[in-house]
Short mmCIF file of all heavy atoms in Angstrom, two decimals:
data_model
loop_
_atom_site.label_atom_id
_atom_site.label_comp_id
_atom_site.label_asym_id
_atom_site.label_seq_id
_atom_site.Cartn_x
_atom_site.Cartn_y
_atom_site.Cartn_z
N GLY A 193 -23.33 18.61 54.15
CA GLY A 193 -24.01 18.95 52.90
C GLY A 193 -23.58 20.39 52.47
O GLY A 193 -23.23 20.63 51.29
N GLY A 194 -23.46 21.27 53.38
CA GLY A 194 -23.04 22.60 53.12
C GLY A 194 -21.67 22.71 52.64
O GLY A 194 -21.30 23.42 51.72
N LEU A 195 -20.74 21.90 53.27
CA LEU A 195 -19.31 21.92 52.86
C LEU A 195 -19.21 21.36 51.45
O LEU A 195 -18.43 21.92 50.65
CB LEU A 195 -18.52 21.07 53.83
CG LEU A 195 -18.24 21.70 55.19
CD1 LEU A 195 -17.72 20.68 56.17
CD2 LEU A 195 -17.23 22.86 55.04
N LEU A 196 -19.97 20.29 51.10
CA LEU A 196 -19.92 19.76 49.77
C LEU A 196 -20.43 20.78 48.77
O LEU A 196 -19.78 20.95 47.69
CB LEU A 196 -20.66 18.49 49.71
CG LEU A 196 -20.12 17.31 50.46
CD1 LEU A 196 -21.04 16.11 50.38
CD2 LEU A 196 -18.73 16.92 49.93
N ALA A 197 -21.58 21.42 49.03
CA ALA A 197 -22.10 22.39 48.13
C ALA A 197 -21.09 23.55 47.99
O ALA A 197 -20.89 24.05 46.86
CB ALA A 197 -23.39 22.97 48.72
N PHE A 198 -20.44 23.95 49.06
CA PHE A 198 -19.39 25.00 48.99
C PHE A 198 -18.31 24.58 48.02
O PHE A 198 -17.92 25.38 47.15
CB PHE A 198 -18.86 25.27 50.35
CG PHE A 198 -18.01 26.50 50.39
CD1 PHE A 198 -18.58 27.75 50.69
CD2 PHE A 198 -16.68 26.42 50.14
CE1 PHE A 198 -17.72 28.88 50.76
CE2 PHE A 198 -15.85 27.54 50.23
CZ PHE A 198 -16.39 28.79 50.51
N ALA A 199 -17.82 23.40 48.20
CA ALA A 199 -16.72 22.90 47.33
C ALA A 199 -17.19 22.82 45.88
O ALA A 199 -16.41 23.18 44.97
CB ALA A 199 -16.20 21.52 47.81
N LEU A 200 -18.38 22.39 45.62
CA LEU A 200 -18.93 22.22 44.34
C LEU A 200 -19.00 23.56 43.62
O LEU A 200 -18.58 23.77 42.48
CB LEU A 200 -20.28 21.61 44.38
CG LEU A 200 -20.88 21.01 43.13
CD1 LEU A 200 -20.02 19.93 42.58
CD2 LEU A 200 -22.28 20.46 43.38
N SER A 201 -19.50 24.59 44.40
CA SER A 201 -19.60 25.92 43.83
C SER A 201 -18.24 26.57 43.58
O SER A 201 -18.04 27.14 42.55
CB SER A 201 -20.42 26.81 44.73
OG SER A 201 -20.23 28.11 44.54
N PHE A 202 -17.36 26.34 44.57
CA PHE A 202 -16.05 26.97 44.46
C PHE A 202 -15.25 26.54 43.27
O PHE A 202 -14.47 27.29 42.70
CB PHE A 202 -15.27 26.68 45.74
CG PHE A 202 -14.29 27.72 46.11
CD1 PHE A 202 -14.60 28.76 46.85
CD2 PHE A 202 -12.94 27.57 45.68
CE1 PHE A 202 -13.67 29.76 47.18
CE2 PHE A 202 -12.00 28.53 46.01
CZ PHE A 202 -12.39 29.62 46.77
N ASP A 203 -15.52 25.25 42.83
CA ASP A 203 -14.71 24.71 41.75
C ASP A 203 -15.36 24.90 40.33
O ASP A 203 -14.74 24.66 39.38
CB ASP A 203 -14.64 23.16 41.91
CG ASP A 203 -13.48 22.75 42.72
OD1 ASP A 203 -12.68 23.65 43.02
OD2 ASP A 203 -13.40 21.62 43.15
N GLU A 204 -16.65 25.28 40.27
CA GLU A 204 -17.34 25.20 39.05
C GLU A 204 -16.92 26.18 38.04
O GLU A 204 -16.63 27.36 38.33
CB GLU A 204 -18.82 25.47 39.33
CG GLU A 204 -19.74 24.59 38.55
CD GLU A 204 -19.78 25.00 37.07
OE1 GLU A 204 -19.51 26.12 36.75
OE2 GLU A 204 -19.98 24.07 36.22
N VAL A 205 -16.69 25.76 36.82
CA VAL A 205 -16.19 26.70 35.76
C VAL A 205 -17.15 26.76 34.59
O VAL A 205 -17.38 27.86 34.06
CB VAL A 205 -14.78 26.35 35.38
CG1 VAL A 205 -14.67 24.98 34.73
CG2 VAL A 205 -14.24 27.42 34.38
N ILE A 206 -17.76 25.67 34.13
CA ILE A 206 -18.47 25.69 32.88
C ILE A 206 -19.72 26.55 33.02
O ILE A 206 -19.90 27.51 32.21
CB ILE A 206 -18.82 24.24 32.50
CG1 ILE A 206 -17.55 23.46 32.07
CG2 ILE A 206 -19.80 24.24 31.32
CD1 ILE A 206 -17.75 22.07 31.64
N VAL A 207 -20.57 26.27 33.95
CA VAL A 207 -21.75 27.03 34.13
C VAL A 207 -21.43 28.49 34.49
O VAL A 207 -22.10 29.43 34.04
CB VAL A 207 -22.70 26.45 35.24
CG1 VAL A 207 -23.94 27.22 35.42
CG2 VAL A 207 -23.10 25.02 34.82
N THR A 208 -20.36 28.64 35.27
CA THR A 208 -19.99 29.98 35.72
C THR A 208 -19.59 30.85 34.48
O THR A 208 -19.91 32.06 34.47
CB THR A 208 -18.75 29.93 36.58
OG1 THR A 208 -19.02 28.87 37.62
CG2 THR A 208 -18.56 31.22 37.33
N LEU A 209 -18.86 30.33 33.54
CA LEU A 209 -18.45 31.03 32.30
C LEU A 209 -19.72 31.60 31.68
O LEU A 209 -19.66 32.70 31.08
CB LEU A 209 -17.70 30.16 31.38
CG LEU A 209 -16.25 29.93 31.75
CD1 LEU A 209 -15.66 28.85 30.81
CD2 LEU A 209 -15.45 31.17 31.62
N PHE A 210 -20.81 30.83 31.65
CA PHE A 210 -22.00 31.37 31.01
C PHE A 210 -22.75 32.33 31.87
O PHE A 210 -23.35 33.29 31.31
CB PHE A 210 -23.00 30.16 30.70
CG PHE A 210 -22.62 29.36 29.44
CD1 PHE A 210 -21.88 28.18 29.58
CD2 PHE A 210 -22.88 29.86 28.25
CE1 PHE A 210 -21.52 27.47 28.45
CE2 PHE A 210 -22.59 29.14 27.09
CZ PHE A 210 -21.82 27.95 27.23
N ALA A 211 -22.79 32.12 33.18
CA ALA A 211 -23.61 32.94 34.02
C ALA A 211 -22.87 34.25 34.49
O ALA A 211 -23.49 35.18 34.93
CB ALA A 211 -23.99 32.14 35.35
N ALA A 212 -21.56 34.31 34.29
CA ALA A 212 -20.75 35.39 34.82
C ALA A 212 -20.80 36.65 33.96
O ALA A 212 -20.55 37.76 34.38
CB ALA A 212 -19.41 34.98 35.11
N GLY A 213 -20.94 36.43 32.68
CA GLY A 213 -20.77 37.61 31.79
C GLY A 213 -19.31 37.99 31.69
O GLY A 213 -18.40 37.22 32.08
N ALA A 214 -19.03 39.09 31.09
CA ALA A 214 -17.63 39.44 30.85
C ALA A 214 -16.87 39.98 32.05
O ALA A 214 -15.70 39.77 32.20
CB ALA A 214 -17.59 40.43 29.70
N GLY A 215 -17.58 40.69 33.00
CA GLY A 215 -16.92 41.45 33.97
C GLY A 215 -16.54 40.70 35.18
O GLY A 215 -15.51 40.97 35.80
N THR A 216 -17.31 39.75 35.62
CA THR A 216 -17.12 39.09 36.91
C THR A 216 -16.30 37.79 36.73
O THR A 216 -16.62 36.96 35.99
CB THR A 216 -18.46 38.76 37.58
OG1 THR A 216 -19.40 39.81 37.25
CG2 THR A 216 -18.32 38.57 39.02
N LYS A 217 -15.25 37.64 37.61
CA LYS A 217 -14.43 36.51 37.56
C LYS A 217 -14.44 35.82 38.90
O LYS A 217 -14.30 36.45 39.96
CB LYS A 217 -13.00 36.88 37.12
CG LYS A 217 -12.84 37.25 35.70
CD LYS A 217 -11.37 37.21 35.37
CE LYS A 217 -11.17 37.48 33.84
NZ LYS A 217 -11.72 38.77 33.37
N THR A 218 -14.62 34.48 38.89
CA THR A 218 -14.35 33.67 40.07
C THR A 218 -12.96 33.09 39.89
O THR A 218 -12.33 33.24 38.83
CB THR A 218 -15.37 32.54 40.22
OG1 THR A 218 -15.32 31.73 39.09
CG2 THR A 218 -16.79 33.07 40.33
N ILE A 219 -12.45 32.41 40.89
CA ILE A 219 -11.12 31.87 40.80
C ILE A 219 -10.98 30.87 39.60
O ILE A 219 -10.00 31.03 38.85
CB ILE A 219 -10.68 31.20 42.13
CG1 ILE A 219 -10.32 32.30 43.15
CG2 ILE A 219 -9.53 30.17 41.97
CD1 ILE A 219 -8.95 32.90 42.87
N PRO A 220 -11.85 29.95 39.44
CA PRO A 220 -11.74 29.08 38.28
C PRO A 220 -11.74 29.82 36.96
O PRO A 220 -11.05 29.47 36.02
CB PRO A 220 -12.86 28.06 38.35
CG PRO A 220 -13.25 28.05 39.87
CD PRO A 220 -12.97 29.44 40.35
N VAL A 221 -12.66 30.83 36.88
CA VAL A 221 -12.70 31.61 35.64
C VAL A 221 -11.39 32.38 35.44
O VAL A 221 -10.84 32.47 34.34
CB VAL A 221 -13.86 32.58 35.68
CG1 VAL A 221 -13.94 33.50 34.49
CG2 VAL A 221 -15.22 31.79 35.64
N TRP A 222 -10.83 32.87 36.54
CA TRP A 222 -9.50 33.65 36.36
C TRP A 222 -8.50 32.60 35.86
O TRP A 222 -7.69 32.95 34.95
CB TRP A 222 -9.10 34.17 37.75
CG TRP A 222 -7.81 34.86 37.65
CD1 TRP A 222 -7.59 36.15 37.25
CD2 TRP A 222 -6.49 34.29 37.82
NE1 TRP A 222 -6.23 36.44 37.18
CE2 TRP A 222 -5.49 35.27 37.54
CE3 TRP A 222 -6.02 33.07 38.22
CZ2 TRP A 222 -4.16 35.10 37.61
CZ3 TRP A 222 -4.65 32.80 38.32
CH2 TRP A 222 -3.74 33.79 38.04
N ILE A 223 -8.44 31.37 36.44
CA ILE A 223 -7.48 30.41 35.98
C ILE A 223 -7.64 30.12 34.50
O ILE A 223 -6.74 30.06 33.72
CB ILE A 223 -7.54 29.06 36.78
CG1 ILE A 223 -7.15 29.34 38.28
CG2 ILE A 223 -6.72 27.98 36.17
CD1 ILE A 223 -7.27 28.10 39.17
N PHE A 224 -9.00 29.93 34.14
CA PHE A 224 -9.28 29.56 32.76
C PHE A 224 -8.77 30.65 31.79
O PHE A 224 -8.17 30.33 30.78
CB PHE A 224 -10.82 29.49 32.59
CG PHE A 224 -11.23 29.04 31.26
CD1 PHE A 224 -11.11 27.72 30.81
CD2 PHE A 224 -11.80 29.93 30.40
CE1 PHE A 224 -11.54 27.36 29.54
CE2 PHE A 224 -12.25 29.56 29.11
CZ PHE A 224 -12.08 28.27 28.70
N ASN A 225 -8.87 31.91 32.18
CA ASN A 225 -8.36 32.99 31.25
C ASN A 225 -6.84 33.06 31.37
O ASN A 225 -6.18 33.26 30.30
CB ASN A 225 -9.00 34.37 31.66
CG ASN A 225 -10.48 34.36 31.31
OD1 ASN A 225 -10.90 33.85 30.32
ND2 ASN A 225 -11.28 34.94 32.23
N ALA A 226 -6.32 32.96 32.55
CA ALA A 226 -4.87 33.21 32.72
C ALA A 226 -4.02 32.07 32.15
O ALA A 226 -2.90 32.30 31.76
CB ALA A 226 -4.58 33.31 34.19
N MET A 227 -4.56 30.87 32.08
CA MET A 227 -3.70 29.76 31.59
C MET A 227 -3.40 29.85 30.08
O MET A 227 -2.49 29.22 29.56
CB MET A 227 -4.31 28.42 31.89
CG MET A 227 -5.50 28.00 31.04
SD MET A 227 -5.85 26.24 31.17
CE MET A 227 -6.71 26.10 32.70
N GLN A 228 -4.08 30.79 29.35
CA GLN A 228 -3.78 31.02 28.01
C GLN A 228 -2.73 32.14 27.80
O GLN A 228 -2.39 32.46 26.68
CB GLN A 228 -5.09 31.31 27.22
CG GLN A 228 -6.29 30.82 27.93
CD GLN A 228 -7.30 30.13 27.03
OE1 GLN A 228 -7.13 30.05 25.81
NE2 GLN A 228 -8.31 29.53 27.63
N ARG A 229 -2.32 32.71 28.97
CA ARG A 229 -1.33 33.72 28.84
C ARG A 229 0.01 33.21 29.46
O ARG A 229 0.16 33.05 30.73
CB ARG A 229 -1.71 34.99 29.63
CG ARG A 229 -2.96 35.70 29.04
CD ARG A 229 -3.19 37.03 29.72
NE ARG A 229 -3.61 36.94 31.05
CZ ARG A 229 -4.96 36.96 31.42
NH1 ARG A 229 -5.89 36.95 30.57
NH2 ARG A 229 -5.23 36.82 32.69
N PRO A 230 1.00 32.91 28.60
CA PRO A 230 2.21 32.13 29.13
C PRO A 230 2.91 32.88 30.33
O PRO A 230 3.37 32.20 31.21
CB PRO A 230 3.10 32.12 27.88
CG PRO A 230 2.22 32.27 26.73
CD PRO A 230 1.02 33.11 27.17
N ASN A 231 2.94 34.25 30.33
CA ASN A 231 3.69 34.84 31.42
C ASN A 231 2.99 34.80 32.74
O ASN A 231 3.54 35.13 33.77
CB ASN A 231 4.09 36.29 31.07
CG ASN A 231 2.91 37.14 30.80
OD1 ASN A 231 1.87 36.65 30.44
ND2 ASN A 231 3.07 38.44 31.04
N GLU A 232 1.72 34.38 32.78
CA GLU A 232 1.02 34.28 34.07
C GLU A 232 1.12 32.83 34.62
O GLU A 232 0.64 32.58 35.73
CB GLU A 232 -0.41 34.63 33.86
CG GLU A 232 -0.59 36.14 33.53
CD GLU A 232 -1.76 36.79 34.32
OE1 GLU A 232 -1.73 36.58 35.55
OE2 GLU A 232 -2.60 37.41 33.72
N LEU A 233 1.70 31.90 33.84
CA LEU A 233 1.60 30.47 34.29
C LEU A 233 2.19 30.18 35.63
O LEU A 233 1.57 29.43 36.40
CB LEU A 233 2.28 29.63 33.18
CG LEU A 233 1.45 29.39 31.90
CD1 LEU A 233 2.17 28.43 30.97
CD2 LEU A 233 0.11 28.89 32.21
N PRO A 234 3.36 30.81 36.01
CA PRO A 234 3.83 30.48 37.38
C PRO A 234 2.80 30.82 38.50
O PRO A 234 2.64 30.01 39.44
CB PRO A 234 5.07 31.34 37.52
CG PRO A 234 5.48 31.66 36.14
CD PRO A 234 4.24 31.69 35.29
N VAL A 235 2.11 31.91 38.29
CA VAL A 235 1.05 32.27 39.29
C VAL A 235 -0.18 31.38 39.20
O VAL A 235 -0.73 30.97 40.20
CB VAL A 235 0.68 33.74 39.12
CG1 VAL A 235 -0.29 34.21 40.17
CG2 VAL A 235 1.93 34.63 39.17
N VAL A 236 -0.48 30.95 37.97
CA VAL A 236 -1.58 30.04 37.81
C VAL A 236 -1.30 28.71 38.53
O VAL A 236 -2.14 28.17 39.24
CB VAL A 236 -1.83 29.74 36.32
CG1 VAL A 236 -2.81 28.57 36.12
CG2 VAL A 236 -2.31 30.94 35.59
N ASN A 237 -0.04 28.25 38.42
CA ASN A 237 0.34 27.02 39.20
C ASN A 237 0.02 27.09 40.66
O ASN A 237 -0.50 26.21 41.31
CB ASN A 237 1.89 26.76 39.05
CG ASN A 237 2.23 26.40 37.60
OD1 ASN A 237 1.45 25.77 36.93
ND2 ASN A 237 3.41 26.76 37.18
N VAL A 238 0.36 28.28 41.26
CA VAL A 238 0.21 28.49 42.72
C VAL A 238 -1.30 28.50 42.99
O VAL A 238 -1.82 27.84 43.92
CB VAL A 238 0.84 29.83 43.16
CG1 VAL A 238 0.37 30.20 44.53
CG2 VAL A 238 2.33 29.67 43.08
N VAL A 239 -2.10 29.29 42.27
CA VAL A 239 -3.52 29.44 42.48
C VAL A 239 -4.20 28.07 42.29
O VAL A 239 -5.04 27.68 43.05
CB VAL A 239 -4.12 30.53 41.54
CG1 VAL A 239 -5.64 30.62 41.70
CG2 VAL A 239 -3.51 31.83 41.81
N ALA A 240 -3.74 27.34 41.31
CA ALA A 240 -4.35 25.99 41.04
C ALA A 240 -4.11 25.07 42.23
O ALA A 240 -5.06 24.39 42.64
CB ALA A 240 -3.76 25.39 39.79
N LEU A 241 -2.90 25.09 42.80
CA LEU A 241 -2.63 24.24 43.92
C LEU A 241 -3.51 24.66 45.13
O LEU A 241 -4.09 23.81 45.81
CB LEU A 241 -1.13 24.34 44.27
CG LEU A 241 -0.77 23.50 45.53
CD1 LEU A 241 -0.95 22.03 45.29
CD2 LEU A 241 0.67 23.80 45.91
N LEU A 242 -3.62 25.94 45.30
CA LEU A 242 -4.48 26.41 46.43
C LEU A 242 -5.91 26.03 46.26
O LEU A 242 -6.63 25.68 47.16
CB LEU A 242 -4.33 27.96 46.57
CG LEU A 242 -2.97 28.46 47.06
CD1 LEU A 242 -2.89 29.98 47.11
CD2 LEU A 242 -2.61 27.84 48.45
N LEU A 243 -6.39 26.14 44.99
CA LEU A 243 -7.78 25.71 44.72
C LEU A 243 -8.06 24.26 45.00
O LEU A 243 -9.03 23.95 45.60
CB LEU A 243 -8.12 26.03 43.24
CG LEU A 243 -9.48 25.76 42.70
CD1 LEU A 243 -10.51 26.60 43.58
CD2 LEU A 243 -9.62 26.09 41.27
N VAL A 244 -7.08 23.44 44.66
CA VAL A 244 -7.23 21.97 45.02
C VAL A 244 -7.30 21.83 46.56
O VAL A 244 -8.24 21.17 47.07
CB VAL A 244 -6.02 21.17 44.48
CG1 VAL A 244 -6.08 19.77 45.06
CG2 VAL A 244 -6.08 21.09 42.99
N LEU A 245 -6.46 22.51 47.30
CA LEU A 245 -6.45 22.34 48.72
C LEU A 245 -7.76 22.97 49.35
O LEU A 245 -8.41 22.31 50.17
CB LEU A 245 -5.30 23.09 49.33
CG LEU A 245 -3.96 22.51 48.96
CD1 LEU A 245 -2.80 23.22 49.53
CD2 LEU A 245 -3.83 21.02 49.37
N ILE A 246 -8.25 24.11 48.80
CA ILE A 246 -9.41 24.74 49.30
C ILE A 246 -10.67 23.84 49.13
O ILE A 246 -11.59 23.83 49.97
CB ILE A 246 -9.66 26.11 48.80
CG1 ILE A 246 -8.59 27.11 49.22
CG2 ILE A 246 -11.04 26.69 49.14
CD1 ILE A 246 -8.73 28.47 48.63
N SER A 247 -10.70 23.13 47.97
CA SER A 247 -11.88 22.27 47.80
C SER A 247 -11.73 20.94 48.41
O SER A 247 -12.76 20.31 48.80
CB SER A 247 -12.23 22.20 46.32
OG SER A 247 -11.04 21.90 45.57
N VAL A 248 -10.55 20.40 48.54
CA VAL A 248 -10.39 19.04 49.17
C VAL A 248 -10.61 19.07 50.66
O VAL A 248 -11.13 18.11 51.23
CB VAL A 248 -9.07 18.45 48.73
CG1 VAL A 248 -8.78 17.21 49.53
CG2 VAL A 248 -9.18 18.02 47.20
N ILE A 249 -10.07 20.13 51.28
CA ILE A 249 -10.16 20.10 52.73
C ILE A 249 -11.58 20.10 53.25
O ILE A 249 -11.96 19.33 54.16
CB ILE A 249 -9.29 21.33 53.30
CG1 ILE A 249 -7.88 20.98 53.13
CG2 ILE A 249 -9.65 21.50 54.78
CD1 ILE A 249 -6.95 22.22 53.39
#
Side-chain angles (χ1 to χ4, degrees):
Chain A
L195 286 167
L196 292 176
F198 189 91
L200 197 59
S201 161
F202 206 85
D203 272 350
E204 218 291 332
V205 63
I206 293 182
V207 177
T208 316
L209 282 171
F210 282 99
T216 321
K217 288 192 173 64
T218 60
I219 282 286
V221 173
W222 180 86
I223 294 179
F224 184 75
N225 291 321
M227 73 165 80
Q228 337 226 356
R229 296 190 290 267
N231 61 333
E232 295 224 50
L233 286 185
V235 182
V236 172
N237 292 329
V238 169
V239 177
L241 179 62
L242 293 177
L243 184 57
V244 170
L245 295 178
I246 291 177
S247 46
V248 164
I249 289 169

